[in-house]
Amino acid sequence: MYTLTNIDQHHFSGPEDVYVLEAHRTAAGLATVASDQTLSLFNPARLGAGPVTSLKTGHGNVTTLRVFDAASSLVCTAGENGSVGVWDLRQGARVAQFQAAEASILSMACSANTQTIAVGTELENHVASIHLWDVRSSPSPKATYSEVHSDDVTSLGFHPSSPTLLISGSTDGLVSVHDTTIADEDELTVQTFNHNASIHDAAFLTPTEVFALSHDETFALYDVAEERTDGNATQDFGDLRKVLGCQYVANVTTKLDGSGAILGAGAQDKQNFELVFLAKTPSNAWALDHDNRVVLPGAHGGEIVRSFCFFDDEQVVFTTGEDGNVKAWRAGN
């Protein structure tokens, strides 16, 4: 077990309580979105100095932030009015805004390789859709899928090395992998897995394996390889609240090299947040490494931690929470 120390923080204040929803790393610094409808950029070494840039997003309520190109510091935001904003954080300016959907956007994925933004919508008029947009010049629609899910599309992600593959998760309990080069929606889906619980997060873990995390914290792994066609979980970890002794899982961050993932698990009553590594064992099975978990004591008090991200070079972890804070954590000397 390793313990980190809170070394810096910034508090968002306003007439109403502010939730800091997400944080992501870019070359320009740490990007966050908050419930006061702001997109903010921080110098990660001077968090307490406040945002270097603070921009109003204009989505009604902002729901998601995704990095389009970390090296170029291009990020995307989306929200309840169905619009998407593309922002250049080096310039501190919005470079594009377009109406990507008629319904509220709940999820988004970006691929700089294919210049594509995918958005997933809330169920409205009995339809929950996935829209793909080309942002090469003026954004233009590439495809719309309206029959993949029967309820809110809560999670989207592109394959890390084959960006024409898209994974989606929904409150209908399904996680599906789609080949977006196929025009016919009936033929689009490569594989569907029934997690039997509303999906909070889903993504590619390796080139052929995916994870699914439900809103009631059940966690399982699935294999997209062609020889596995039954759609059953290859490993079912069950309810992580029991497995990890937590009350919720904020999100799961996969490692870019396919070597595993990091789960952020919190407990409000203990004012605690932990990072737990999912890695391969010598027997080639995946396992949660309880012994080497990283503990953030005090976390965000009795409030929920909404997200975490890493600045590996500086060995700093950043967290955001419903207490209005973004915090920096580092191992003690």
Side-chain angles (χ1 to χ4, degrees):
M1 184 180 78
Y2 303 90
T3 301
L4 302 186
T5 301
N6 178 209
I7 58 169
D8 203 359
Q9 69 182 57
H10 172 74
H11 180 71
F12 287 84
S13 59
E16 299 179 354
D17 291 342
V18 179
Y19 290 1
V20 191
L21 306 173
E22 293 188 57
H24 293 279
R25 180 175 188 168
T26 74
L30 181 73
T32 69
V33 287
S35 61
D36 63 359
Q37 316 316 317
T38 58
L39 166 65
S40 299
L41 177 69
F42 291 88
N43 178 342
R46 300 183 67 241
L47 203 60
V52 176
T53 305
S54 185
L55 303 159
K56 284 294 182 182
T57 53
H59 301 301
N61 280 320
V62 64
T63 55
T64 185
L65 166 69
R66 290 292 179 267
V67 176
F68 186 84
D69 186 338
S72 299
S73 299
L74 291 172
V75 301
C76 299
T77 57
E80 69 172 2
N81 65 7
S83 66
V84 168
V86 183
W87 310 81
D88 185 337
L89 294 178
R90 297 166 305 181
Q91 299 178 20
R94 182 170 53 207
V95 294
Q97 175 132 346
F98 59 98
Q99 193 68 31
E102 294 304 313
S104 176
I105 294 171
L106 300 179
S107 54
M108 180 166 54
C110 302
S111 169
N113 288 332
T114 61
Q115 296 289 295
T116 302
I117 296 173
V119 299
T121 75
E122 189 175 49
L123 183 72
E124 188 172 283
N125 297 323
H126 310 290
V127 176
S129 300
I130 298 170
H131 302 275
L132 269 58
W133 284 78
D134 188 320
V135 291
R136 243 174 282 267
S137 53
S138 58
S140 59
K142 291 175 70 172
T144 293
Y145 312 131
S146 299
E147 299 175 2
V148 170
H149 291 291
S150 60
D151 212 335
D152 299 347
V153 181
T154 51
S155 180
L156 288 173
F158 286 106
H159 192 284
S161 58
S162 301
T164 57
L165 291 177
L166 177 71
I167 186 171
S168 63
S170 167
T171 53
D172 63 10
L174 301 181
V175 173
S176 297
V177 176
H178 317 285
D179 183 346
T180 63
T181 64
I182 297 173
D184 187 344
E185 187 169 353
D186 292 335
E187 305 294 328
L188 166 82
T189 302
V190 175
Q191 183 90 271
T192 295
F193 310 106
N194 188 354
H195 195 62
N196 289 307
S198 173
I199 300 299
H200 169 53
D201 197 7
F204 290 96
L205 183 62
T206 71
T208 61
E209 295 171 283
V210 304
F211 75 80
L213 172 69
S214 73
H215 285 108
D216 58 4
E217 324 308 338
T218 59
F219 185 69
L221 308 181
Y222 300 89
D223 199 326
V224 191
E226 290 182 5
E227 62 268 18
R228 295 191 63 91
T229 57
D230 58 12
N232 293 331
T234 53
Q235 281 187 249
D236 189 344
F237 291 83
D239 187 339
L240 291 181
R241 290 171 294 189
K242 298 175 182 176
V243 175
L244 299 177
C246 65
Q247 290 174 284
Y248 66 92
V249 177
N251 60 307
V252 180
T253 298
T254 55
K255 295 186 177 181
L256 296 178
D257 61 1
S259 64
I262 301 149
L263 287 71
Q268 304 100 291
D269 59 358
K270 300 175 185 175
Q271 298 193 10
N272 192 46
F273 192 71
E274 297 183 351
L275 305 177
V276 183
F277 296 88
L278 177 72
K280 280 285 180 74
T281 65
S283 64
N284 210 36
W286 291 101
L288 293 165
D289 187 354
H290 298 269
D291 293 337
N292 291 309
R293 68 190 186 277
V294 177
V295 179
L296 283 58
H300 286 249
E303 301 294 340
I304 289 174
V305 176
R306 293 295 294 261
S307 76
F308 66 91
C309 71
F310 302 91
F311 278 52
D312 290 330
D313 299 342
E314 296 81 4
Q315 297 185 314
V316 178
V317 176
F318 292 92
T319 57
T320 71
E322 295 187 358
D323 60 349
N325 290 321
V326 52
K327 293 187 173 187
W329 306 80
R330 180 184 282 147
N333 296 327

